[in-house]
Amino acid sequence: MKLLFLGDLLGRAGRDAAIKAIPELRAKLKLDFVAVNAENASHGFGLGPDMADALFKAGADVITLGNHAWDRREIIPYIAQEKRLIRPLNYPPGTPGQGSALVTLADGRKVLIAQAMGRLFMDPLNCPFMTMDELLTRHRLGNSLHAIILDIHAEASSEKMAFGHAFDGRVSAVVGTHTHIPTADHQIFPRGTAYCSDLGMCGDYDSVIGMSKDAAIARFIRKMPGERLTPAEGPATVCGAFIETGEDGLATRIEPVRLGGRLRPTLPEV
Ligand SMILES: [Fe+2]
Ligand SMILES: [Fe+2]
């Protein structure tokens, strides 16, 4: 199976670039499944229902969120109805929406995707390791489940890497989101799980993690609340990872995907 996961879409620049790229990449990379993180799609903060609809229409199978899940409140009734939109699994019981989605592809194969949020330098949620472990006791790679993809939405690369190793051999891939900076540590762990600490954002990299530079720099210098941060709106780089799995659902390949904007482009040969 061939899968693509795109990192945090940042504002209009990231959204438009991803909506244009998804159908092209689906064809070019012969993709079976596409996931995107869209917690920053709406002007840097949250996701609007119309934006989610546009991403599904462009060919996203699942959208993940993160700590910005609720920045646009209209998403609360939407997520209650839309099983293809997920938020972190380890939010308290009673939080709207689901932390995982089981998707049946057109050819009948099934993919499970789940998101957990880290706790280092982030909100003190339930344990991401124990919560994910509990989900995975109910879903195993095998004859009726062809791929399992985990999104670890976290700040610290140590926590992300530990999370990846903790589920090595039980899932097809563990990929990180949230930092908006792509890491170059794509690898397949010893028991067969593909891993990358952060997919990077889909957004304008002439920015401070996607937001306009001047206001972001001023916040660091003056240490006072200043201008509201707004997304940088130059050409976006579409950033993510391509993952290929074998018959057993474990990974045979993971490679970076970068397209457009300022970062050096790279696309896997398929
Ligand atoms: Fe985040
Ligand atoms: Fe983000």
Side-chain angles (χ1 to χ4, degrees), residues 134-217:
E134 195 274 323
L135 178 79
L136 294 176
T137 57
R138 290 182 279 119
H139 298 278
R140 291 175 199 275
L141 275 182
N143 296 338
S144 60
L145 184 53
H146 302 84
I148 303 178
I149 311 294
L150 309 185
D151 171 1
I152 176 67
H153 194 81
E155 191 74 46
S157 41
S158 57
E159 189 177 21
K160 290 163 129 168
M161 207 162 186
F163 188 87
H165 281 296
F167 298 106
D168 184 17
R170 292 171 71 186
V171 303
S172 313
V174 176
V175 294
T177 54
H178 175 72
T179 71
H180 298 190
I181 302 297
T183 60
D185 59 341
H186 308 79
Q187 59 171 312
I188 297 174
F189 282 156
R191 297 193 191 101
T193 296
Y195 176 79
C196 169
S197 293
D198 205 291
L199 298 171
M201 67 170 171
C202 297
D204 175 7
Y205 280 78
D206 182 20
S207 68
V208 175
I209 63 166
M211 307 309 266
S212 293
K213 294 177 286 189
D214 292 345
I217 294 167

Side-chain angles (χ1 to χ4, degrees), residues 8 39 67-68 153 178:
D8 309 41
E39 67 155 359
N67 53 303
H68 288 290
H153 194 81
H178 175 72

